[in-house]
Amino acid sequence: MFENFLGHAPKWYKKTMIAFLLLNIVFRFTLGPVMTSWIILAEFIFTLAMALKCYPLQSGGLLAIQTIVLGLTTPKMAYHEVHANLEVILLLVFMVAGIYFMKPLLMYIFSKVFTKIKSKMTLSILFVLISAVLSAFLDALTVTAVLISVAVGFYGVYHKIHSSSADYDQSGTLDRTQLSGETLEQFRSFLRSLVMHGVVGTALGGVCTLVGEPQNLLIGEKMGWEFIEFFIRMTPITMPVLVCGVITTVFLEATGLFGYGAKLPEVARVIIENYTEEENKKRTNKQRFNLIIQAVAVVFLIVGLATHVAPVGLIGLALIIFQTAFMGIVEEHHLGKAFEEALPFTGLLIVFFVIVAMIHDQHLFSPIIQWVLTLDLSAQPSMFYVANGVLSMISDNVFVATVYIGEVKEIFESGQISREHFEKLAIAINTGTNLPSVATPNGQAAFLFLLTSALAPLINLSYGNMVKMAFPYTIVLGGIGLLCVSMFL
């Protein structure tokens, strides 16, 4: 039974999880529900941190089931949280699968970008800016799914050459010999830094607009702000942060600090370039036609997301139908592969919502809100920003924003604060939940998706690595954001 429990996870991890599950019962009846809820929250974050040792769905899921059994939340409240986030769930199920069928096109474009742009600095800035712009108009999770697809595909090309007996650079030495050891580690480091620049870019762009992150839409609805008004109101904080974010990218690539700065090894670049040219020559008419279908699907995707004709998940389903119909992929087992990447994470996200329901039912964050509201009016926006930032790091930024904007709206409607002050607090809540939350993978769904994706173990991107690599961005984005909130609000 012990061998089977949590599969290949280390023995110390299995024992720790068993200890958690047993001790939580003792805590519930000795320390009370609130203290036990804080302990379970810490334990859940631990399971996320150990994602490379054991996928968190099982270990975190056992904790989530226990919260319901111990009466810390109810199935009804858990369902309410899931229902409130149905758009995000549909997005994960269908949009990620839709992007799966675009992989050949993404690989065709990005293999050219990776090999033609030789400056790592230019490539890094490009990744941050493209991710920011796309996230502002599309959606941070969709952009992250594209980043993961590209990086997995690019790593796949490297692995394919590494496993073959070819000599694409015609050096007289087998490519697999040249691509082993230090070259492989440098290649992993190169991909790791680019992907991290990209996901930080999604946060930089996501904070700016009404559609960038789920909580932006929620805050916009509560305030009655349309797309343009939302963008203008956020600009005094978001634009300086964006500029400083890009400067941070340049600094990190120039200094090589915090795990950045690794370049694509020259030998790998030449071999991959020759390999992709070889593959292009071998491409059949059917494969060329499929690339055209995928390009048309990309246009549909951008137009659909930019005009918001339907929820993102439904646009993703439409993409799956369009691409598979015209590419002739009609067998069920071929379609199933597209859903393999996202469904485990969708399960984990629903487990996460059970933990969020526990936080809500036990009012874990309420004392902090009440304390901030006792402060002087001029200090409130800055303190709301800090409180939202810290809480988003340990739970989930969408949940924190939902709780805070709801509480603040109630206070406004009771006549305790003016409309002008209400607007200032709303801006502080939006920027506070979006910017400092890059500190940990559990702060933003896009970061958590990356940590638990198929890419993370390939490029050695652990929870600790993500926190370390996000640290300079956390300081700059969080710090400049706070400075702008205190100066302009």
Side-chain angles (χ1 to χ4, degrees):
M1 186 177 173
F2 186 75
E3 281 297 312
N4 278 346
F5 180 65
L6 298 181
H8 299 296
K11 284 185 178 177
W12 65 264
Y13 183 81
K14 295 181 183 189
K15 288 173 182 173
T16 304
M17 285 311 304
I18 291 166
F20 283 168
L21 294 166
L22 293 174
L23 286 170
N24 289 342
I25 299 166
V26 179
F27 293 149
R28 172 68 179 84
F29 297 104
T30 54
L31 302 176
V34 175
M35 199 64 215
T36 307
S37 297
W38 276 111
I39 292 166
I40 289 176
L41 178 60
E43 290 168 355
F44 184 74
I45 292 168
F46 167 81
T47 67
L48 297 179
M50 295 291 121
L52 295 187
K53 301 285 183 196
C54 175
Y55 193 72
L57 177 61
Q58 287 73 29
S59 42
L62 288 170
L63 291 171
I65 292 166
Q66 194 176 42
T67 61
I68 292 172
V69 173
L70 294 177
L72 301 174
T73 188
T74 62
K76 191 177 178 183
M77 192 64 202
Y79 178 76
H80 171 73
E81 289 296 336
V82 170
H83 186 262
N85 289 279
L86 188 59
E87 270 202 47
V88 177
I89 292 162
L90 285 175
L91 184 156
L92 281 167
V93 174
F94 295 122
M95 185 57 80
V96 175
I99 286 163
Y100 172 88
F101 293 109
M102 290 180 187
K103 269 187 184 174
L105 178 70
L106 294 172
M107 281 313 303
Y108 177 76
I109 295 167
F110 278 90
S111 57
K112 293 254 188 274
V113 170
F114 279 140
T115 51
K116 298 298 178 195
I117 300 176
K118 292 177 185 177
S119 162
K120 173 71 186 306
M121 183 76 76
T122 308
L123 208 53
S124 300
I125 295 168
L126 195 69
F127 261 62
V128 171
L129 291 177
I130 289 175
S131 297
V133 171
L134 289 177
S135 294
F137 293 99
L138 308 181
D139 171 87
L141 260 175
T142 307
V143 176
T144 306
V146 171
L147 280 173
I148 291 168
S149 283
V150 167
V152 167
F154 203 53
Y155 186 88
V157 169
Y158 190 100
H159 182 69
K160 198 171 179 182
I161 301 167
H162 187 253
S163 307
S164 72
S165 303
D167 181 20
Y168 286 102
D169 62 346
Q170 298 172 347
S171 61
T173 308
L174 287 182
D175 292 339
R176 67 179 176 211
T177 310
Q178 293 174 283
L179 297 181
S180 298
E182 278 184 31
T183 311
L184 176 59
E185 283 312 307
Q186 192 180 334
F187 178 73
R188 279 176 171 155
S189 186
F190 165 78
L191 271 188
R192 199 163 53 232
S193 58
L194 273 186
V195 169
M196 281 302 293
H197 286 315
V199 287
V200 169
T202 66
L204 285 168
V207 66
C208 297
T209 63
L210 193 63
V211 295
E213 294 276 356
Q215 70 267 31
N216 300 17
L217 201 55
L218 180 88
I219 291 167
E221 278 175 15
K222 296 265 188 202
M223 304 305 298
W225 292 338
E226 293 301 320
F227 190 93
I228 299 296
E229 188 180 0
F230 186 96
F231 176 77
I232 291 167
R233 287 185 180 277
M234 297 300 156
T235 298
I237 290 102
T238 55
M239 288 304 116
V241 167
L242 178 61
V243 171
C244 293
V246 174
I247 292 168
T248 308
T249 305
V250 173
F251 172 77
L252 290 171
E253 284 302 321
T255 58
L257 294 171
F258 296 97
Y260 292 96
K263 295 175 172 61
L264 177 61
E266 184 59 25
V267 61
R269 193 188 62 76
V270 172
I271 290 169
I272 290 168
E273 197 168 5
N274 292 346
Y275 169 82
T276 48
E277 280 176 21
E278 194 81 22
E279 289 295 299
N280 289 345
K281 286 174 191 169
K282 288 183 197 169
R283 193 169 280 119
T284 63
N285 285 337
K286 185 184 177 184
Q287 288 171 325
R288 288 194 184 95
F289 175 74
N290 286 352
L291 285 180
I292 294 166
I293 294 297
Q294 289 157 30
V296 173
V298 169
V299 174
F300 285 163
L301 171 66
I302 292 167
V303 172
L305 289 175
T307 55
H308 301 284
V309 290
V312 181
L314 298 186
I315 295 171
L317 179 57
L319 283 185
I320 294 169
I321 295 165
F322 172 77
Q323 289 180 101
T324 53
F326 285 94
M327 294 196 299
I329 303 168
V330 291
E331 293 84 5
E332 191 179 358
H333 58 280
H334 286 152
L335 290 169
K337 288 177 185 172
F339 293 90
E340 285 175 9
E341 173 76 8
L343 281 184
F345 179 71
T346 309
L348 174 62
L349 201 64
I350 289 171
V351 163
F352 190 52
F353 292 142
V354 177
I355 301 295
V356 167
M358 176 194 74
I359 293 170
H360 195 274
D361 273 344
Q362 298 304 321
H363 308 290
L364 298 192
F365 296 165
S366 295
I368 301 165
I369 298 171
Q370 297 309 320
W371 172 71
V372 172
L373 288 169
T374 60
L375 299 173
D376 185 62
L377 282 182
S378 60
Q380 280 184 18
S382 298
M383 286 314 297
F384 259 88
Y385 177 90
V386 172
N388 276 272
V390 172
L391 294 175
S392 294
M393 289 177 199
I394 60 172
S395 67
D396 163 58
N397 60 358
V398 179
F399 166 71
V400 173
T402 307
V403 172
Y404 268 74
I405 197 71
E407 296 266 352
V408 171
K409 189 167 189 192
E410 279 179 27
I411 291 159
F412 165 67
E413 285 171 348
S414 68
Q416 293 178 48
I417 55 173
S418 66
R419 171 72 193 185
E420 187 191 358
H421 190 64
F422 180 33
E423 287 175 353
K424 286 180 181 178
L425 294 184
I427 296 167
I429 290 166
N430 184 63
T431 50
T433 51
N434 274 302
L435 297 173
S437 58
V438 300
T440 64
N442 35 301
Q444 297 209 5
F447 280 59
L448 190 59
F449 185 37
L450 174 61
L451 174 70
T452 57
S453 70
L455 176 66
L458 299 179
I459 58 172
N460 296 338
L461 190 62
S462 63
Y463 190 99
N465 260 339
M466 278 190 84
V467 172
K468 182 186 89 173
M469 294 180 83
F471 181 72
Y473 280 115
T474 307
I475 298 300
V476 173
L477 271 57
I480 299 297
L482 179 60
L483 186 68
C484 292
V485 165
S486 58
M487 283 171 63
F488 302 124
L489 293 188

